[in-house]
Amino acid sequence: MRYAFLAGAALLSGCAGMSESQCQLADWETVGFEDGVAGRSGAAIGEYRRDCAKAGVVPDRQAYETGRQAGLAEYCRPANGYRLGDRGAGYAGVCGGHDEYAFLDAYRAGRVLYELRLNVNRHVAALDRLHGDIDDQKLRIAEIEKKLIAPETTTEERITLLVDLKQASELVGELEGAVFTEQQALAEAQARLNDAERASAQAAW
């Protein structure tokens, strides 16, 4: 499928716009080249046309497209596709006619690494949350134990506190079990990432 990776395409197809003075001084081939290198679609010239109408300037579409195609020749190199995928950047489907299949193969390889790193980071974040929850419960247990031995605590209050202590202790046990499970998942995710990075290092993008 040609355009399997369109995430973020709307951002790529946009442009920063042009002021009236920029319109009057624009080298449209250079503008097109810069847009091509950035992976923007040809629709960008429509925005320039609207911006430049205020200055009475009509963009040179032919010069723009000549420049954009030259820029796309740089953008659509497999090595750049790999870098884009590895950063999690979107692709706006602009490489037709520029060996798009090779570009997409490299993009996919980079994207795999990006997704694997995200997965590792999700497990790390989950572990951080679990450890934080355990610390919170241990603080709660310490407070309950302090109240249990306080001379002013009534018998009825101690009964309630003992129930709370049991619940907090059980929760700590559950959280520690979740930590163990998450640590295993993190180790597996890290191993998959390490394997993919080794394979990627051997690829000639």
Side-chain angles (χ1 to χ4, degrees):
M1 187 166 61
R2 281 191 65 198
Y3 303 136
F5 298 95
L6 295 176
L11 292 176
L12 288 171
S13 63
C15 56
M18 299 182 75
S19 67
E20 291 188 18
S21 61
Q22 287 173 325
C23 289
Q24 291 166 345
L25 298 173
D27 176 338
W28 290 106
E29 188 169 341
T30 298
V31 173
F33 180 82
E34 291 172 350
D35 281 358
V37 168
R40 297 192 179 105
S41 77
I45 197 169
E47 297 186 35
Y48 297 138
R49 187 179 295 110
R50 286 191 294 274
D51 290 340
C52 294
K54 304 169 188 175
V57 174
V58 178
D60 184 335
R61 186 180 186 87
Q62 183 174 350
Y64 173 85
E65 191 57 28
T66 297
R68 194 175 77 89
Q69 290 302 320
L72 286 174
E74 299 296 321
Y75 174 85
C76 297
R77 293 180 186 275
N80 188 52
Y82 178 82
R83 285 192 294 271
L84 291 169
D86 190 41
R87 295 203 311 262
Y91 169 56
V94 294
C95 290
H98 293 275
D99 198 1
E100 186 175 38
Y101 292 111
F103 173 89
L104 284 176
D105 282 345
Y107 181 90
R108 290 186 187 100
R111 188 79 185 194
V112 165
L113 285 179
Y114 173 75
E115 296 292 346
L116 288 173
R117 289 194 191 99
L118 278 184
N119 194 36
V120 167
N121 291 338
R122 280 193 289 267
H123 288 300
V124 169
L127 276 172
D128 287 343
R129 288 192 297 270
L130 286 168
H131 285 302
D133 291 342
I134 289 172
D135 289 342
D136 290 343
Q137 290 305 313
K138 286 183 175 180
L139 285 174
R140 182 185 172 208
I141 287 171
E143 292 172 358
I144 292 171
E145 290 174 338
K146 187 184 298 183
K147 291 178 181 177
L148 277 170
I149 62 174
E152 66 272 14
T153 302
T154 66
T155 300
E156 291 78 8
E157 288 172 336
R158 285 193 174 88
I159 292 171
T160 300
L161 288 168
L162 286 169
V163 172
D164 292 343
L165 181 60
K166 181 175 181 295
Q167 292 175 340
S169 298
E170 289 174 348
L171 182 53
V172 168
E174 293 172 4
L175 290 168
E176 288 175 342
V179 165
F180 178 74
T181 300
E182 198 62 50
Q183 285 173 333
Q184 289 183 312
L186 173 59
E188 293 171 2
Q190 186 65 59
R192 287 194 295 272
L193 173 59
N194 292 343
D195 289 344
E197 286 179 333
R198 281 192 292 271
S200 178
Q202 298 171 0
W205 303 119

